[in-house]
Amino acid sequence: MRWMNRLQKTLSTIVRRGSETARLDEEMRFHVEQEIAERVARGASPEEARREAVRRFGNRALLRDEVRRGWGWGWLETLGRDLRFSIRALMRSPGFTITAVAVMALCIGATACLFTVVRSVLLEPLPFHDPGNLVMVYEHWRANTSGNPYNPVSPGDFYEWREQTHGFADMASYYNSSLTVTGDHGEMPEMVAAQKGTWNLFPLLGVTPALGRTFREDEDQVGDHHVAILTWSFFQRRFGGDPSIVGKTFRMAARPYTVVGVLPEWFAYPDARTQVWVPYADGVTAERLHEHDNHYPYVVARMKPGVSLKTATDEVSALQYRMHMRYAGSPVAEDVMSRPMIDDVVKDVKTPLLMMMAAVACMLLIGCLNVSNLLVARGAARQKEMAIRGALGAGRFALLREQMTETVILCGCGGAIGLLLALAGTAWLKLHWRGLPRASSIHVDLTIVLFTFGVVGLTAVLAGVLPALSSTQRGVLEGLKDSSRGAGVGVSRVRLRKTLLSVEIALTVVLLLSAGLLLKSFVQLKTTDLGISGDHLLTLRYNLPKEIYTRPEQSVAFSQSLLERVRRIPGIESAGLGSTVPGAGWDGDEVFIVPERPKYESNKQPDAMTRHADPAYFTTLGVPLIAGRFFDEHDRLDQSNKVVVSEELVKRYYPGENVIGRTVVMGIDITNKKRTYEIVGVVGDTLWRVGQRTKATIYFPVLSGDTGYRATLVVRTSGDPLSYAIPIQKEIAALDPQLPVVDVLTIPEIVGESTVNQSLSASLVLIFAGLSLLLAGVGLYGVLSYVVTQRVPEIGIRIALGARRGQVLGLVLRDGLRPVVLGLLVGIGGGVAVGYVIRSLLYQTKPLDPMVFAMMATLLLAVAALASAAPAWRASSVDPMQALRTE
Amino acid sequence: MGRPNDLVQGTLGLLILKTLSLEPKHGWAIAKRIEQISNDVLQVQQGSLYPALQRLEQQGWIRSKWGETETGRQARFYSLTAAGKAQLGKEREMWTRLSAAIDLVVES
């Protein structure tokens, strides 16, 4: 309780500190007067009594100070005085103050911003019930030695896992799909991203809907009754947020769906694009629902209390192996692997985010070192002041405290501005980082503010302690002597600054190298040859719903008339139809059999990506013909058992053979006549996505009339391709007004779409590196200017003794470049290490890319030379007479 | 300068507490009393009383109140609190032990 008492006392004295001082004075005056009175009463003369009383009392001012210190607000007073002093000192040199605050604001802002993102995305638990016990379960092929051992699960496997193993509390599954939403009253048709989830997914996650309910078990069955759950954004956008939609129906995939519930606003799993959820079994056949060789769904599981993840996974894995043996010959994986759900959600952004966080931390450190350097220079300029104040009795601690106050003010102002920058930066990142998981949960809150405070404290210590120590460490006498004599000034301080500079440059080099590697990788991605030629290409996607286009003839007729109509548009040079264009992503793959070699090792069955193309597709895109022919108008409907294969497929499965006229059988049944195809042509390779390896590809004729396919119309135009978007969409609407058109994109846009995040991380790191380079340049300039100023007399003597200007220039340059070269060497070492750490982010770029290293080293040296040039020039133009006279 | 010697500084608190145990007093009276009782042996720098009083008050051992002296002047009167009484007991005991020990050493 005593501290309470003391606190109360302290507070009350702070509040009444003016009157308290007056009372103390009154008390002391009373004391002295009493003493005088007593002495007079004893017979002393008033004069003598007063003198004696005052002497006996002691130094009143000193005692008063002692009492006041005890009042508990002494430190506050000192702080106030320090603040006043520091602010006055900082105001005197606005250039320095603004520079330092700006540097700190940028660095602290960037750090706080990245930390905000890292915390919300990587560190905070998922917004589900007991998220620590949620895991994702995947199939794993033993032959899969790629970086990602986690393969999607087949629905048949999932159902067996769920029924036959008991290591997990429950398992649920989902897969993505897209559905066409149309209106009953001629509303705009649109294609929406959908997820198909098992009925128990939401209960397993512990998610309760904002409105209505989630799926019932009986709704997750193959059948004619269709239900859907809307996500909050779709509910708001398409249905105006009207709660009465629950229980009503809307048209999707040409069927009526009953809305059973609406998900809460925060729910953005598995991604924020998802608009609608339907049951797992919706719109598929029972056969499809239980197949084991088609892998696309994801499986979420909740761990059972007391059962370790390994035990549970091993049980599923054992079952999987039994299934692998049972379905020998078809692609069923041998093993099962699992990982925590949070790791699964952030898998693609963890490394880039941590890398950026590290880059920002480097920049922060560089900023600290730079401010530290500026402070050392300032300390040197104020050396005389310090010495005089020391001589007048200021303790070292007091001087140190004052200097630290200055640094804290600088960092504090920087931190405050930085926090604002962080707010803006976070908002910007949220907007521009495409597909950043959990982006909606990113927010700046008290933790971030506290973190910023922490960073401010840390930077203040980092930037302030060294200069403060160095400027107060010297003896008073030495300091006074030193400042009046010019030669050999502040050798230790110069050494300190150069060391700081070397560290700064080393860090800058590391950042520059990382940025260079990422940039080169990004440029590689951007300029990747997709395998197509020519520009002025426009692509438009649409899905022909199989519920409406039920007969193959209908599909073919639609495609045929669409192509005819589009080709009639003036300015369209050619038009073709395919399933998915190069660069636009994976579009399914399938195993096949080479009839001449029907035997293969388990899981080594030939596998190819499957695509569709019409006769004009390859020529429109400029995919070269290697052998044989493209499709022609006769390869349609029942004449369509022809395929065109890619060069990679020939290389891989028919090395050195002529494949034209040979047959392949798709699937696993060699006797399946319906799925036996003749190879009529070989075309050049195309990339399915920028940055991914070429994959063997089989093209089927679009005009085979497969019902319900996903199609991309490709046109080559004579002018700006985007100006043809509207005329083409009009033609589509004329054919089928209910058909939504999506992804109207040019090829560069498709490439840009898939490289937008690489572009983001490369540019951010480049910005950090650029700022660091600027800081390093300014730092170097500062140090050299300082050194030159200190050495003016010495240089004057040298010139007077006959040194040539060139020699002096060289002298100063050498002096300035030594820490640069040292920093460069250390930095290159660091850069090599960092290059290896981030190599998973690099595309066709080696961590030791000589061009990047050479360019970045040259860049740094150029900046360093530029920064040293001015001081060196100043040194070489010293007038010896002038220099010696000022001595 | 105005500081009491080390021995007195260590025991000034005890002297003040003891002086106040009889009745509340103002600062000057405390100084006088200490001098009188000790037959002028303990002559403290009178001013150093005030930092000591302030420390004791902050510890919660004494409290102060403004009041009138016999001569009708305003002065700050200090009095012992319950915690102060307890503290006085403790310090007295300690002092007795200490002085006895010193006696033993010095007289032996």
Side-chain angles (χ1 to χ4, degrees), chain A residues 27 31 33 35 56-57 70, chain B residues 28 35 46-47 50 73 78:
Chain A
E27 198 180 357
H31 183 118
E33 277 168 17
E35 185 72 23
R56 289 286 311 274
F57 192 81
Chain B
W28 181 75
E35 281 170 19
Q46 291 180 0
Y50 290 93
R73 282 209 49 171
Y78 294 91

Side-chain angles (χ1 to χ4, degrees), chain A residues 307-379:
Chain A
V307 181
S308 77
L309 180 57
K310 189 178 179 308
T311 314
T313 309
D314 284 351
E315 190 190 351
V316 181
S317 203
L319 170 65
Q320 183 65 27
Y321 193 75
R322 290 199 297 278
M323 285 196 280
H324 168 73
M325 300 308 283
R326 188 175 353 135
Y327 301 105
S330 61
V332 176
E334 303 94 333
D335 296 329
V336 159
M337 284 178 90
S338 57
R339 62 173 156 188
M341 194 168 181
I342 178 77
D343 293 350
D344 194 77
V345 168
V346 301
K347 59 184 183 296
D348 292 331
V349 293
K350 198 169 180 175
T351 320
L353 258 184
L354 291 180
M355 177 195 66
M356 274 189 238
M357 189 77 218
V360 158
C362 264
M363 192 170 87
L364 181 70
L365 202 54
I366 291 171
C368 286
L369 290 172
N370 216 29
V371 169
S372 180
N373 242 334
L374 289 172
L375 283 169
V376 173
R378 215 172 126 74

Side-chain angles (χ1 to χ4, degrees), chain A residues 63-193:
Chain A
L63 287 163
R64 192 171 56 207
D65 271 358
E66 202 182 328
V67 173
R68 282 159 58 126
R69 236 195 324 274
W71 278 345
W73 41 265
W75 59 272
L76 252 179
E77 245 183 11
T78 322
L79 183 70
R81 199 183 50 224
D82 280 355
L83 278 177
R84 265 200 315 280
F85 268 13
S86 303
I87 290 172
R88 223 182 295 150
L90 288 173
M91 299 273 267
R92 262 205 305 276
S93 43
F96 162 81
T97 309
I98 291 173
T99 313
V101 169
V103 167
M104 277 350 277
L106 264 178
C107 296
I108 295 177
T111 312
C113 170
L114 253 293
F115 178 73
T116 309
V117 177
V118 165
R119 184 176 79 105
S120 303
V121 175
L122 298 186
L123 302 180
E124 271 185 2
L126 291 167
F128 303 133
H129 170 69
D130 190 15
N133 277 325
L134 290 172
V135 295
M136 298 293 288
V137 190
Y138 288 94
E139 291 186 15
H140 172 67
W141 265 274
R142 292 185 185 168
N144 177 358
T145 52
S146 74
N148 177 16
Y150 301 98
N151 296 99
V153 180
S154 66
D157 289 358
F158 160 70
Y159 279 117
E160 292 209 21
W161 292 355
R162 182 157 189 268
E163 269 156 39
Q164 298 182 27
T165 68
H166 309 283
F168 289 109
D170 198 4
M171 289 174 142
S173 179
Y174 68 87
Y175 66 94
N176 36 42
S177 162
S178 63
L179 292 166
T180 304
V181 177
T182 49
D184 291 327
H185 312 291
E187 289 100 330
M188 273 280 285
E190 68 172 314
M191 208 147 94
V192 297

Side-chain angles (χ1 to χ4, degrees), chain A residues 398-409:
Chain A
L399 293 178
L400 210 74
R401 196 184 53 212
E402 220 179 277
Q403 288 227 338
M404 281 311 289
T405 313
E406 238 169 72
T407 319
V408 170
I409 290 177

Side-chain angles (χ1 to χ4, degrees), chain A residues 792-866:
Chain A
V792 162
E794 179 207 328
I795 293 168
I797 294 172
R798 279 174 190 267
I799 294 178
L801 288 180
R804 282 193 304 277
R805 304 275 174 192
Q807 285 175 318
V808 173
L809 199 72
L811 186 81
V812 176
L813 275 182
R814 258 200 310 284
D815 203 35
L817 291 183
R818 201 171 304 131
V820 173
V821 171
L822 190 70
L824 183 64
L825 290 179
V826 176
I828 284 179
V832 170
V834 170
Y836 275 99
V837 171
I838 62 169
R839 70 183 179 283
S840 68
L841 302 177
L842 301 180
Y843 172 68
Q844 288 189 358
T845 308
K846 292 195 188 69
L848 281 176
D849 191 282
M851 197 185 76
V852 167
F853 274 65
M855 266 177 57
M856 290 305 161
T858 316
L859 181 64
L860 182 91
L861 287 175
V863 168
L866 207 66

Side-chain angles (χ1 to χ4, degrees), chain A residues 6 13 16 25 108 162 347 358 396 460 540 584 626 632 765:
Chain A
R6 204 177 298 178
T13 47
R16 302 178 283 117
D25 280 341
I108 295 177
R162 182 157 189 268
K347 59 184 183 296
R396 184 173 179 199
L540 301 91
I626 309 288
D632 63 26
V765 175

Side-chain angles (χ1 to χ4, degrees), chain A residues 4 32 248 513:
Chain A
M4 278 275 285
V32 175
K248 292 202 184 122
L513 289 176

